[in-house]
Amino acid sequence: MEIKADFESALILHNVQEFVLDKRKFDECIPENLKEGREYSFLVSGQRNYWILGKFPLHEKQSDGSVSEEPRAIINIFEVTHFIDNGLIFTKGKYKILQVVGK
């Protein structure tokens, strides 16, 4: 039996235009106007493990698959859950914006 889990060094979410174009769920995207101190939910495919004891970069994935070099924000992930939907594994959770740094 194989166990596939990724250990991530950043939270990477899609550009909000992917939601506007009905290609992604809202929680798969970075909201337009990030606010420091505010909490947001996220959703990513696969079983991913995130560090929840400190600061973490939030990067944006563009529609062409490229990932922003600079983070959009510094966050703290404080809740993570893995679940199965239609036979596929997903990771969802919550994060708090500590500092907005990009775009």
Side-chain angles (χ1 to χ4, degrees):
M1 180 168 110
E2 179 181 348
I3 298 173
K4 178 156 178 26
D6 294 316
F7 292 85
E8 302 292 344
S9 60
L11 178 59
I12 301 171
L13 298 175
H14 294 271
N15 183 286
V16 74
Q17 283 302 316
E18 296 285 303
F19 170 72
V20 172
L21 297 172
D22 205 28
K23 294 181 179 180
R24 302 275 175 187
K25 294 178 182 177
F26 183 75
D27 286 350
E28 293 179 283
C29 301
I30 296 177
E32 262 188 287
N33 297 310
L34 295 174
K35 304 280 186 203
E36 291 181 8
R38 187 159 176 204
E39 296 176 358
Y40 299 91
S41 297
F42 72 89
L43 174 69
V44 293
S45 62
Q47 185 171 340
R48 300 173 186 270
N49 295 289
Y50 296 99
W51 184 42
I52 60 174
L53 291 175
K55 297 177 182 179
F56 212 70
L58 171 63
H59 288 272
E60 183 174 79
K61 187 174 212 177
Q62 303 298 323
S63 57
D64 66 1
S66 64
V67 176
S68 61
E69 287 187 30
E70 297 295 321
R72 291 279 313 275
I74 303 302
I75 64 172
N76 172 253
I77 295 175
F78 61 90
E79 182 179 308
V80 178
T81 303
H82 302 107
F83 68 98
I84 298 172
D85 185 21
N86 291 325
L88 299 173
I89 299 172
F90 292 90
T91 303
K92 66 180 179 178
K94 295 183 179 180
Y95 62 96
K96 183 176 185 176
I97 302 291
L98 301 177
Q99 179 184 5
V100 176
V101 293
K103 194 173 169 184

